[in-house]
Amino acid sequence: MEEKMTMDDLSEELETSYKEAEEAGAEQAEEMDPVWATLKGYLEEKTELTVKIGGIVNSGVIAYVEGIRGFIPASRLALEHVEDLNEWLNKKIKVRVITADPEKKRLVLSAREILRDEARAEANRKRQEAMEQLKIGDVMEGTVESLKDYGAFIRLENGLSGLVHVSQISDKRVEVPAKVLKEGETVKVKLIAIKDGKLSLSMKALLEKSSEEHHNDRDYKLPKSENISTNLGSLLAKLDL
């Protein structure tokens, strides 16, 4: 007995056929145009490519990859704003493929992502070097970078940032940091802890040290004047004049 096909079965079969046709078409297209297959591979792998800028166009420049004309928007040439595109002519730069559309024959390249990664890596390297030179108890100058309810972030002279918790701002109770500090103000702080790459700073510790030194000076007692006189008299009495 022949089994009847329902509308759902027919719909499912057609959808499967379309999908197979699309996949076959894509595979065939890549087989027919291996250059675009290579470019799509560069896109997926985020491959770094060195290209030479060979032309200037409206709002960007032109460079060729695998013989295909690629467009680099001016906004993706550098991290900062590009004023004069003519200065980039014939320069060699590192780029990544960000668009590879074989149907529209559209290839778009960008240098910005690579430059951003390099800048981030360099910043991390400098931070690591600065961190390795720190030790608990260091006293440094810094600038108040921002104020929060829980404390103040200080940009230190070595480029690192640390937090002075509200409880470490003064030896007196501070309700709101903004009442005793202002952004851009230069302060002196002491490094009291390093945890998970974060710096804990204190202004209070320096105030306590200063107070302690002042207290020690105040506790020092000079001998009484009569004792000085007596000691001097005793010394003179022993001399054979």
Side-chain angles (χ1 to χ4, degrees):
M1 183 176 179
E2 185 178 351
E3 186 176 346
K4 293 183 178 181
M5 180 179 288
T6 65
M7 289 300 295
D8 289 339
D9 293 335
L10 179 60
S11 177
E12 186 177 342
E13 185 173 324
L14 287 173
E15 186 177 344
T16 302
S17 298
Y18 289 146
K19 187 176 291 185
E20 289 175 351
E22 281 182 0
E23 292 175 353
E27 291 176 2
Q28 186 178 7
E30 289 189 354
E31 289 174 3
M32 290 172 58
D33 197 341
V35 173
W36 279 101
T38 299
L39 294 174
K40 291 180 95 173
Y42 291 155
L43 171 64
E44 293 167 1
E45 298 295 328
K46 297 182 179 180
T47 306
E48 290 189 8
L49 306 166
T50 300
V51 298
K52 183 178 180 179
I53 296 174
I56 310 295
V57 295
N58 185 31
S59 71
V61 297
I62 297 300
Y64 286 83
V65 179
E66 304 293 343
I68 301 297
R69 182 178 185 268
F71 173 63
I72 309 173
S75 61
R76 292 185 174 272
L77 269 174
L79 294 178
E80 65 280 356
H81 177 68
V82 175
E83 292 288 345
D84 186 3
L85 288 173
N86 291 298
E87 294 178 356
W88 292 80
L89 191 61
N90 295 322
K91 277 189 176 182
K92 288 186 177 181
I93 63 172
K94 289 187 291 184
V95 297
R96 288 180 187 158
V97 176
I98 59 172
T99 301
D101 189 339
E103 292 183 2
K104 296 181 180 179
K105 303 298 182 185
R106 187 166 180 260
L107 177 65
V108 183
L109 312 172
S110 175
R112 191 173 62 185
E113 288 75 11
I114 295 175
L115 295 172
R116 186 180 293 149
D117 289 345
E118 290 176 347
R120 189 179 293 116
E122 178 64 12
N124 288 337
R125 184 188 66 78
K126 288 183 177 179
R127 173 180 170 79
Q128 185 61 35
E129 285 183 355
M131 290 288 287
E132 289 173 356
Q133 294 175 4
L134 291 176
K135 61 181 182 296
I136 303 300
D138 282 348
V139 176
M140 297 165 281
E141 278 196 352
T143 304
V144 179
E145 195 171 29
S146 62
L147 296 169
K148 308 293 181 183
D149 290 341
Y150 52 84
F153 285 96
I154 310 298
R155 173 68 66 174
L156 300 173
E157 51 198 6
N158 59 8
L160 299 176
S161 288
L163 174 67
V164 178
H165 189 265
V166 64
S167 64
Q168 293 296 321
I169 291 177
S170 174
D171 53 359
K172 299 180 178 61
R173 182 176 176 80
V174 175
E175 295 288 345
V176 181
K179 287 187 176 180
V180 293
L181 294 171
K182 59 182 179 180
E183 292 184 6
E185 179 181 356
T186 300
V187 295
K188 188 170 284 189
V189 294
K190 181 177 181 179
L191 179 62
I192 58 175
I194 303 175
K195 185 177 180 181
D196 299 329
K198 297 178 180 178
L199 308 182
S200 293
L201 309 171
S202 176
M203 296 167 62
K204 176 181 175 182
L206 296 177
L207 294 173
E208 290 174 344
K209 181 180 179 182
S210 176
S211 176
E212 183 180 338
E213 290 174 348
H214 180 68
H215 180 72
N216 290 339
D217 289 344
R218 191 174 54 197
D219 286 349
Y220 179 74
K221 295 180 179 179
L222 291 172
K224 294 181 179 179
S225 57
E226 56 266 27
N227 290 338
I228 296 175
S229 300
T230 302
N231 292 339
L232 181 60
S234 299
L235 179 61
L236 290 173
K238 293 179 180 179
L239 295 176
D240 187 7
L241 299 175

